Amino acid sequence: ETGVTQSPTHLIKTRGQQVTLRCSSQSGHNTVSWYQQALGQGPQFIFQYYREEENGRGNFPPRFSGLQFPNYSSELNVNALELDDSALYLCASSLEMEADTQYFGPGTRLTVL
Amino acid sequence: EDQVTQSPEALRLQEGESSSLNCSYTVSGLRGLFWYRQDPGKGPEFLFTLYSAGEEKEKERLKATLTKKESFLHITAPKPEDSATYLCAVQTDSNYQLIWGAGTKLIIKP
């Protein structure tokens, strides 16, 4: 167990809706990264938060946004859902921004119909 | 463009049959190369980090090696519980993002 939790486990939404996914990092880990993993693919980096500020972003549109809170929890928000947003969403926490080891949660499986 | 390619896509072995998985990379500057294991429906589990060519790391039946262009994950006398998807990722020296390969799905038959 990595100590990183995510909720919900599964989620079904329809196209155009909005969704919020949640992650609770290991205590003391001030960096959280979010990834999107399509079936049969490796994770794709969405963005990283360090001490509550966005610290890097992958090739994802602005309708993907996030928040990080002082209690080591974070959120991923996706607006105007599209069918291609269906994927496993993973969060990973690390002790510091440059830390080598990222500890992953179990993921949230999002299905967009 | 930074890129990571893993081969083969899938590998079926008999229990006890040793083999290797390959991760080749093209990056402007390598800060570290990571191996993770992922079981179905779960998040990736950290295995190894390698930093420089010639470096090797071992854990139970797994050994990871690194050259300037690729990394190998050697699995010796595998057991059915080693069945999983093995993911490789690189971190460049320009930022802290991980660039991932698509993974190798390893199936060990008893």
Side-chain angles (χ1 to χ4, degrees), chain B residues 36-56:
Chain B
Y36 281 81
R37 168 193 171 129
Q38 187 173 26
D39 292 301
K42 296 189 176 181
E45 174 190 344
F46 173 75
L47 294 173
F48 304 110
T49 309
L50 302 166
Y51 295 103
S52 56
E55 190 175 0
E56 299 184 352

Side-chain angles (χ1 to χ4, degrees), chain A residues 2-102:
Chain A
T2 64
V4 180
T5 60
Q6 291 186 243
S7 63
T9 305
H10 296 90
L11 199 54
I12 299 175
K13 291 285 188 178
T14 56
R15 194 170 49 181
Q17 285 188 311
Q18 178 267 342
V19 68
T20 298
L21 310 182
R22 293 180 172 83
C23 171
S24 179
S25 301
Q26 280 195 27
S27 180
H29 283 197
N30 55 28
T31 304
V32 64
S33 302
W34 283 89
Y35 296 86
Q36 180 194 68
Q37 187 177 25
L39 206 60
Q41 299 297 316
Q44 295 289 316
F45 176 76
I46 302 175
F47 44 58
Q48 182 186 76
Y49 276 79
Y50 174 67
R51 297 191 176 184
E52 302 164 49
E53 295 206 1
E54 187 177 298
N55 183 53
R57 189 175 186 93
N59 191 25
F60 281 81
R63 59 189 185 85
F64 286 78
S65 63
L67 287 171
Q68 185 186 26
F69 303 102
N71 65 351
Y72 307 113
S73 66
S74 60
E75 290 180 355
L76 164 65
N77 298 288
V78 187
N79 295 321
L81 284 167
E82 301 177 359
L83 298 180
D84 285 348
D85 295 334
S86 295
L88 181 69
Y89 287 85
L90 298 161
C91 75
S93 74
S94 52
L95 190 59
E96 288 289 341
M97 186 172 60
E98 68 276 12
D100 296 329
T101 305
Q102 296 188 14

